[in-house]
Amino acid sequence: MNIDHLKICYIGGGSRNWAWVLMQDLAFEKEIAGTIELYDIKPEDARTNEIIGNALMAKHNGGLWKFHANPSLEDSLSGSDFVFVSILPGDFEEMAVDVHASEKYGIYQSVGDTAGVGGIIRALRTIPQFREIARSVKKYAPDAWVINYTNPMTICTRTLYREFSGIKAFGCCHEVFNTQKLLGAVLEEAGAAPVGSIKREDITTRVLGINHFTWIDKASWKNIDIFPYYKKFVDKYAESGFKGAKAATTFAAGGSGAIDPDETVRLRLFSSVERVKMDLFRRYGLIAAAGDRHLAEFCPHSWYMANATQAESWGFTLTPVSWRIANREKLIKMAKAYRDGTQTMAAVESGEEGLKILKALLGLGNMVTNVNTPNYGQMPDLPSQVVVETNASFSQNNIQPLVSQGLPADIRALVMPHVLAQEGIIEAVFEDDREKAFRVFSHDLAVQLLPLKDSRALFDEMCAKTLKS
Amino acid sequence: MNIDHLKICYIGGGSRNWAWVLMQDLAFEKEIAGTIELYDIKPEDARTNEIIGNALMAKHNGGLWKFHANPSLEDSLSGSDFVFVSILPGDFEEMAVDVHASEKYGIYQSVGDTAGVGGIIRALRTIPQFREIARSVKKYAPDAWVINYTNPMTICTRTLYREFSGIKAFGCCHEVFNTQKLLGAVLEEAGAAPVGSIKREDITTRVLGINHFTWIDKASWKNIDIFPYYKKFVDKYAESGFKGAKAATTFAAGGSGAIDPDETVRLRLFSSVERVKMDLFRRYGLIAAAGDRHLAEFCPHSWYMANATQAESWGFTLTPVSWRIANREKLIKMAKAYRDGTQTMAAVESGEEGLKILKALLGLGNMVTNVNTPNYGQMPDLPSQVVVETNASFSQNNIQPLVSQGLPADIRALVMPHVLAQEGIIEAVFEDDREKAFRVFSHDLAVQLLPLKDSRALFDEMCAKTLKS
Amino acid sequence: MNIDHLKICYIGGGSRNWAWVLMQDLAFEKEIAGTIELYDIKPEDARTNEIIGNALMAKHNGGLWKFHANPSLEDSLSGSDFVFVSILPGDFEEMAVDVHASEKYGIYQSVGDTAGVGGIIRALRTIPQFREIARSVKKYAPDAWVINYTNPMTICTRTLYREFSGIKAFGCCHEVFNTQKLLGAVLEEAGAAPVGSIKREDITTRVLGINHFTWIDKASWKNIDIFPYYKKFVDKYAESGFKGAKAATTFAAGGSGAIDPDETVRLRLFSSVERVKMDLFRRYGLIAAAGDRHLAEFCPHSWYMANATQAESWGFTLTPVSWRIANREKLIKMAKAYRDGTQTMAAVESGEEGLKILKALLGLGNMVTNVNTPNYGQMPDLPSQVVVETNASFSQNNIQPLVSQGLPADIRALVMPHVLAQEGIIEAVFEDDREKAFRVFSHDLAVQLLPLKDSRALFDEMCAKTLKS
Amino acid sequence: MNIDHLKICYIGGGSRNWAWVLMQDLAFEKEIAGTIELYDIKPEDARTNEIIGNALMAKHNGGLWKFHANPSLEDSLSGSDFVFVSILPGDFEEMAVDVHASEKYGIYQSVGDTAGVGGIIRALRTIPQFREIARSVKKYAPDAWVINYTNPMTICTRTLYREFSGIKAFGCCHEVFNTQKLLGAVLEEAGAAPVGSIKREDITTRVLGINHFTWIDKASWKNIDIFPYYKKFVDKYAESGFKGAKAATTFAAGGSGAIDPDETVRLRLFSSVERVKMDLFRRYGLIAAAGDRHLAEFCPHSWYMANATQAESWGFTLTPVSWRIANREKLIKMAKAYRDGTQTMAAVESGEEGLKILKALLGLGNMVTNVNTPNYGQMPDLPSQVVVETNASFSQNNIQPLVSQGLPADIRALVMPHVLAQEGIIEAVFEDDREKAFRVFSHDLAVQLLPLKDSRALFDEMCAKTLKS
Ligand SMILES: [Mg+2]
Ligand SMILES: [Mg+2]
Ligand SMILES: [Mg+2]
Ligand SMILES: [Mg+2]
């Protein structure tokens, strides 16, 4: 790989979310250079991003990086060194079904893109797309590193490997970073360091579990073990919630923070006061390492989100898809403004690690961070080959997961049903067996409360409204 | 082992259930002989059985076997070749709490001795007793074969191994036999053989899973594959239920059939019309191999027993513990009558395999049958060492489980949470960690529907009423 | 499978060894019937066997079985219920190279068809043939049971599975039976039963290991544990050898015993006085369960066959291939005489289990016996999927291996290099990598004594003389 | 752990090898401080080192570190944060037997402390000492990190875990570092960087295998993949050998480089021209990562050291123990001179990583490097729990091995017999079973060439001369 002429294929290149983050981070990057092929099923969005990206590069980076909207996936992939995948499976109209169709049966969801009925139905339309991507990578760029940002993360990444076992793919998610920020705040709050002085990157965490239901069983900063501090913190804030931590990054909301015109609403819909996380710590002893909205979806619904009121009482909100739809319109306008030059995109480093990892894989700085990869032994208590989230070491053309000690038995009991559901739904799609998919659906934590005929009706309705065939 | 002078220790020797079954089977046994030491925490019950047993032997068997009530566990065990364990952990008063305390929260149970809240709380008081038994076996009879009949079967047997890893223990249960009888009836019903002609022992089944949630993925009789017949049978009877199969053996009800004065009630409370079993077959494709009352407890409660009415609609009954209490009184009277000679115990072969297995272990007839043992690889898809139920080969001083192909992914998803709960509850007791026990309780299929504070209240109430400390 | 109209495909149907054994056993079989398609690369040999077989059936069995020489593999396989594979890879001329080429380097072999340089080179020409067979089975008879008799047994059977993972194949070998005969003799010798009274089938053995280097870690007859008897036996005969056991079956020598005109020579070349077996027992504590000629080849050559003299001193002979060549001529003459009716084949039951196993798979009598199958967990201390020899349970359309306890660490240390060599040589052929094959060759117990350039020269010579390409 | 008042226990504190290295490295260390308790079975040597160490600290480091000779192991260990173990099991007189006793049977050794007859016999006297150390650590310092430098590395470290499963122990060896130096030289030689410019620490290697038979399957420097360079290098130097790499560090020779009066002899006896390493690369494709003297001992002796002449022809020497004995005298004199102040120890950083790792475990700089730890999954193709050498990530109070891809099948075939021998010899000592130890000995690569009675005679002689009982 020639670090001055890298080729990066971006599948979902019309994205107004991760694609913009990447642009902004590249604006600060001078050690490597190359071209980003923007492929999208909406070519006009890719074309818009080409213009925005090149303008940004011209301004900040002397044009070291070229953005190029490419209508051909084959052409975008061929010879690529890296492939980013960040797509929206279906559109927010389908997502509205994922998230809200079950409400009439008393099943509520805070995110609806990973676990639960939303995650399962979303998986049914995502898996075929990822099979197609894997086949194309096998054909046109078998040696490329494939970095996935799409949810359901675990299922998408696992699908890539099941379709093309030789793929070099992994998945990145920033939920653990937010937890690291919280841990920094915990130390600062306790006076172990001046407020605002601790950098997220300097918090060392031992990560294990699965995406969005990830856990930390050891955390340190310099020579300080953070667990005793966290325990005191939880004693203080478990009931009231903690509002001091930095807001969730804006990317989770589908755009970059600087540009959201109605930040207050967004914050209310996407952030939390960490009460779920702290409640889990009190009961299970480990630090849950994702936003509360994600964590709650992996637990029995009776605990945190039997309904909207209970969720609010725990300090988080069931994000309505209507907000995403409205926000999409704002972002489309913004994209046009950037494209037409009526507005100028600012360059702000995101704090995301995608670019840093890419450079590590080029040999430009070894690093250890958390990542989603097949289980080669790093989670000795989960089945082999399923996609798990743990730390891994990155170096030149090499990723090696770090062996964890596995989850305590009671947390494993919470995690395992989701692992088996993820495997089940993938098998169902690979075997083209809709009945098998229904069985997985019927075992879901929330669905299993319904009589079988209601489960069936809900499943059939959701499939009918979101799947092509 | 001298087959003419065997020593068998019977822990729970005052039993009016399995102990009587054993006596009756021994009445027909002439190839081996010896002494049965009856140990019981109620010595008078053991003494009663000594008299009953010796009278039966005198009448039928020339006194080949001696029964001896022995108040000392050490003495009963020392030098034993075999140890039977068939105890009632606590009494039916505690069992009433196991089964019924949760009803005020809308959680109903059909048996309540294996899975669910009843199984978990029963385990909390059983595990310490089995640890004590394992320690005694280690000390006084480390080479003896230990045969367990006590529920919760899986947890009891696993506890023996965790306490004394060198123990030679396994667990026997007749639920699979009843399913084999049903399969014989299926063939007879289809005209493949005259009604009543097929012997249960001639049905070959490939068994896998865990006790009371056991499955059959291959069944044959002579050169006939039974699955196609079973499929047609299910097509015919899934809605109406099948009433033709022989009633559940009387032993399940706590006594021998010949002696129950109110058979009609008993049958209604303990038998079923196999609709749960057939529904599971339609959805999962394998034959569930336990009574419907057991099977239903391992499934989401919304499916078959959200309440008593739903259970009745599926053709089975939520057995009230009050019946067991009333029945106990009848059995006590009967025992007195046998003891005092006012009534004579009939000798009827039980169809149970305990004695046949014992003889196989003595080298008197190799056999293959289903049994509960640690997972040495026979269930490749379940964790190592947990107790599973599969076929095993029995020969002189040797048991070897048969390697199965593992469960289909969707059935495994149903089974695994129970496996993890069983392990969790054992760990909680071994670590003397009541909070850990509560976490397992809170993850239960039915309990997870409750708000956490209700789970906690129920747990605390059940513990307070059933546990000593 | 219709037991009155079975179709059996016999690959190697011109065999004058196992094919004749099968004929003779079928002469006594009246419960099942059908046709045996004889396929052979030498069609005239198949045609001869057709005539011999049909004559035998006519005489003894009312023609229940038909033999049919079939020049088409496709036609022979299509619709078959069972497939026997018993071929000679190459001819004895190639085998002479396998066995004797290494002698100039001081490497001697007693059999040369399983382990060591002979086994490795034989594997190089056998594996491609078995890949071809597996592909044909996949295409024409994917549901048939495939029973292999060809050596190297482990490698042939493993190759079938690597080429067609869904194949239902296993391998049969009678070496364990001979050891069971010996154990019967051990008991008779000790007076535990009258001489000649113990049947081989009644000796229960717990078998584990790999073919021809198989071990027994538990043996019983009725309620008697044989190990203490065997220990005394070894104390008595370890130095002198034991001549009393029945001679090795004649099939090992390439023909049926009744017909060998020079039995004395054959016996000298193929039988042993069990001294290797007894020496291994003294050092390792388990009973090695194969003929000494096989066992010696799996051990360091310095132990038992540094040269012919040492082999003789241990009571066995390095069988020269010249004898096999000469014997072949005799057998060819005999076959002609049978074909032409100038001589009549006698019907003698072989004591082999092939037919009994076949009937078990038809549902006509469940049985447990030793067999070579992929490791699904029955040998927990050997790699998954490699072919191992253990007991298995046979029933209608079903084989399930029995889980063993694994080998003691020091025997495992003897076995493991052979397992790795077997896997290595298969990989080398599948990857078409002659250098990899050489690396396996160079690691062989005997070859590793040679300087690398001698290893290379020997390998090249053996390949040149025995392989087509 | 208070980084200003650390307590380090040094078992073998009278060492004139690693103890001196540690002193010298501590002379440059100002971030942490504390006391080193020097415990040795020769208290006077510990006392000498106390004086030398304190003088060195006074001169270079303002006395930040205190050395203290402590005759009590209990006292040395109690409350320690770290424990170094660097002992000589027995003395060089015993080592002379390990290395040379087998020569009369034609078995030669280059080092004789790890594999082969020397390693096995050395293990027999080392294991009991390490069991004792493990028991003491369990009693007095169960939370301390234990860093082992003693050979046989694998066996010593594994013994610690088998005796005290909760120990936090790992083993360090610099052989991989020397290979990293060689890889730097390879790049410099090819002109990829100026000669002398590449730092060993900047070579990233993916390490896997077992100590002294360690392998590298991926190596990079910055964005350069080193493998193609290494291939060319081997093409050039495989026959002639490569003399340009820096000499093996002096510590291997039992002293620090600055002080050896006869460097020429030492170099000849301990260094090599890398021909073994290059030959292995040509045949197996991976980079063997230890000195040739070590590597040769793990291969069939016929390959590289059938005798001294063959070893010389491959460019290395069979190091005579007589040199070690003579060198010991020189070092004793030197120690006296340092102690008495007639000579001054220079402070030179060693390039060893012990101190850097210690600081990483204190939270002062995360790092990834190679280390010997139990196999928790990092070597998926070797048995669980055996000690393996791979990379691991070090951070505050935490080590996590990096999952490797396992060895290619043919290298695994070379490695596995040693793994099994290591396990076997440990079992033999734990079970106090000398016969089992002999069986392991008799399976050794070189020993297996001998007739059994010679193996036995050699084993008995070596045991008699080196073991107390
Ligand atoms: Mg995410
Ligand atoms: Mg039962
Ligand atoms: Mg054979
Ligand atoms: Mg070393």
Side-chain angles (χ1 to χ4, degrees), chain B residues 39-201:
Chain B
Y39 170 81
D40 204 295
I41 51 169
K42 297 183 183 167
E44 67 285 7
D45 289 353
R47 176 74 188 136
T48 298
N49 275 349
E50 173 186 311
I51 296 167
I52 299 174
N54 285 335
L56 197 72
M57 292 307 109
K59 186 170 171 199
H60 293 278
N61 208 353
L64 269 178
W65 291 91
K66 309 289 178 207
F67 286 83
H68 177 237
N70 194 326
S72 155
L73 180 57
E74 171 177 349
D75 194 51
S76 300
L77 280 172
S78 295
S80 279
D81 302 299
F82 295 91
V83 180
F84 289 104
V85 189
S86 142
I87 62 174
L88 180 66
D91 212 328
F92 290 135
E93 285 64 28
E94 279 84 7
M95 193 174 178
V97 177
D98 295 345
V99 175
H100 300 298
S102 62
E103 292 175 356
K104 57 183 162 292
Y105 295 95
I107 298 174
Y108 297 88
Q109 297 176 88
S110 38
V111 186
D113 69 349
T114 310
V117 298
I120 289 169
I121 300 299
R122 185 184 176 104
L124 289 181
R125 60 182 190 275
T126 314
I127 295 166
Q129 296 182 44
F130 272 73
R131 296 185 72 180
E132 179 58 34
I133 291 171
R135 281 192 295 266
S136 297
V137 168
K138 184 176 185 178
K139 203 162 170 188
Y140 304 120
D143 291 326
W145 284 100
V146 178
I147 307 175
N148 178 49
Y149 288 99
T150 314
N151 283 329
M153 170 59 77
T154 308
I155 286 173
C156 290
T157 309
R158 175 74 160 128
T159 296
L160 293 174
Y161 278 90
R162 283 191 72 136
E163 187 68 33
F164 170 29
S165 64
I167 204 167
K168 291 154 60 180
F170 57 94
C172 289
C173 167
H174 54 199
E175 296 290 325
V176 171
F177 305 161
N178 289 336
T179 309
Q180 291 168 331
K181 284 178 201 163
L182 174 64
L183 296 179
V186 164
L187 290 180
E188 291 171 6
E189 233 263 336
V195 171
S197 70
I198 297 180
K199 291 201 297 187
R200 195 271 307 162
E201 294 82 346

Side-chain angles (χ1 to χ4, degrees), chain D residues 445-462:
Chain D
L445 277 172
V447 176
Q448 65 179 236
L449 319 194
L450 304 183
L452 273 172
K453 75 173 166 19
D454 288 355
S455 307
R456 172 69 71 174
L458 176 58
F459 179 75
D460 287 347
E461 177 197 342
M462 292 180 77

Side-chain angles (χ1 to χ4, degrees), chain A residues 188-204:
Chain A
E188 291 171 6
E189 234 260 337
V195 171
S197 69
I198 297 179
K199 292 200 296 187
R200 196 271 307 162
E201 293 84 347
D202 293 336
I203 302 289
T204 298

Side-chain angles (χ1 to χ4, degrees), chain C residues 373-442:
Chain C
T373 55
N375 186 13
Y376 299 119
Q378 64 268 45
M379 285 296 295
D381 55 333
L382 293 185
S384 181
Q385 303 302 325
V386 305
V387 166
V388 294
E389 186 162 340
T390 63
N391 286 343
S393 164
F394 291 77
S395 59
Q396 196 267 331
N397 204 19
N398 182 39
I399 299 184
Q400 291 181 268
L402 273 58
V403 182
S404 78
Q405 296 177 16
L407 290 162
D410 37 24
I411 299 182
R412 185 164 61 248
L414 288 179
V415 171
M416 188 68 90
H418 296 286
V419 170
L420 297 176
Q422 288 160 345
E423 288 296 289
I425 206 72
I426 292 170
E427 276 184 30
V429 177
F430 273 71
E431 297 167 9
D432 200 16
D433 183 343
R434 188 63 58 89
E435 278 309 300
K436 192 168 205 170
F438 170 66
R439 289 197 290 274
V440 173
F441 186 87
S442 74

Side-chain angles (χ1 to χ4, degrees), chain D residues 243-262:
Chain D
K243 294 179 194 71
K246 282 164 209 153
T249 74
T250 55
F251 317 116
S256 90
I259 49 186
D260 188 324
D262 194 350

Side-chain angles (χ1 to χ4, degrees), chain D residues 68-89:
Chain D
H68 176 238
N70 194 325
S72 155
L73 180 56
E74 171 178 350
D75 194 51
S76 300
L77 280 172
S78 296
S80 278
D81 302 298
F82 294 92
V83 179
F84 288 105
V85 190
S86 139
I87 62 174
L88 180 65

